[in-house]
Amino acid sequence: MAALAGELRALPPSCGPVRLVAVDGHAGSGKTTFAGRLAAALGGAPVVHLDDLATHDELFGWTGRLREQVLEPLAAGRDADHRVYDWTLRRFAGTARVPLAPVVLVEGVGAGRREVRPWLARVIWMELEAAAARRRGEQRDGPELAGFWAGWARAEAAHFAADPSRPYAATRVDGVTGRILTGTVGEPSIRPLTCDITRI
């Protein structure tokens, strides 16, 4: 993990002064846990959780909120503040601060999607197939959310069919062990990217 943290710090900035790093994968694949470990290895890097920006009605319709509330302020060299969705109240309630830092992590399903990639310095993919990830998520959340998971699985499959992130991941992580896997999948995302705020 320390080696990965050092590699990320050495990447060219991708969003203003920030190296924006996506942690993507299927729901239940271990993204949040891994992002927390990586943030600690980076000395407390900020983490944006896409669950805070998605809603019941817009599971993947959060790109505008991410751009306006997080990416554009960071690109301008400022701290960011974004609204946080409450999944129990079914509305936005409260805010979260994203301090300007050398590396900022964005974790969640679709973090490496097409509309976000121009802002990214690296895409990290949690390597755990969808069915296994879903079983883990259902065990975690309990039977009361089984209906939500059924709808989510359909939406997630449609999203990745139309806009896959895995081919753009330069780093893959075993979703069971949490170990970083060697090799690059598809197109490397380590090339310098510019943060063009008009792209999405």
Side-chain angles (χ1 to χ4, degrees):
M1 190 66 76
L4 176 60
E7 184 178 336
L8 296 177
R9 289 191 194 99
L11 293 174
S14 59
C15 184
V18 173
R19 295 144 188 87
L20 192 69
V21 176
V23 180
D24 203 340
H26 297 288
S29 62
K31 296 179 302 301
T32 303
T33 299
F34 181 81
R37 290 175 53 213
L38 180 55
L42 287 161
V47 182
V48 178
H49 302 283
L50 292 178
D51 283 351
D52 291 341
L53 294 168
T55 72
H56 283 89
D57 296 326
E58 295 178 309
L59 295 175
F60 291 97
W62 42 259
T63 52
R65 286 186 287 275
L66 178 68
R67 181 190 69 238
E68 294 164 9
Q69 299 176 33
V70 178
L71 303 183
E72 290 178 354
L74 294 179
R78 305 191 309 268
D79 293 347
D81 294 280
H82 67 81
R83 299 170 66 200
V84 174
Y85 186 73
D86 188 309
W87 289 85
T88 300
L89 298 177
R90 301 179 74 96
R91 61 178 175 83
F92 284 96
T95 60
R97 169 146 289 205
V98 185
L100 190 69
V103 180
V104 174
L105 307 179
V106 179
E107 73 85 15
V109 179
R113 71 192 301 178
R114 183 182 302 113
E115 291 177 280
V116 181
R117 284 197 296 271
W119 308 77
L120 296 175
R122 174 69 60 89
V123 176
I124 297 173
W125 176 263
M126 301 302 296
E127 194 74 10
L128 186 65
E129 59 99 17
R134 178 178 175 179
R135 286 193 297 272
R136 178 192 284 177
E138 288 179 326
Q139 290 172 354
R140 176 193 66 201
D141 294 341
E144 61 273 14
L145 290 181
F148 174 82
W149 268 96
W152 168 264
R154 290 190 296 272
E156 180 186 87
H159 167 74
F160 281 133
D163 189 0
S165 302
R166 186 179 183 274
Y168 299 92
T171 302
R172 290 180 297 139
V173 178
D174 188 305
V176 176
T177 67
R179 293 181 179 176
I180 299 165
L181 304 175
T182 58
T184 296
V185 180
E187 176 185 336
S189 60
I190 57 175
R191 60 189 173 82
L193 297 174
T194 58
C195 187
D196 180 352
I197 63 174
T198 65
R199 296 291 289 274
I200 63 174

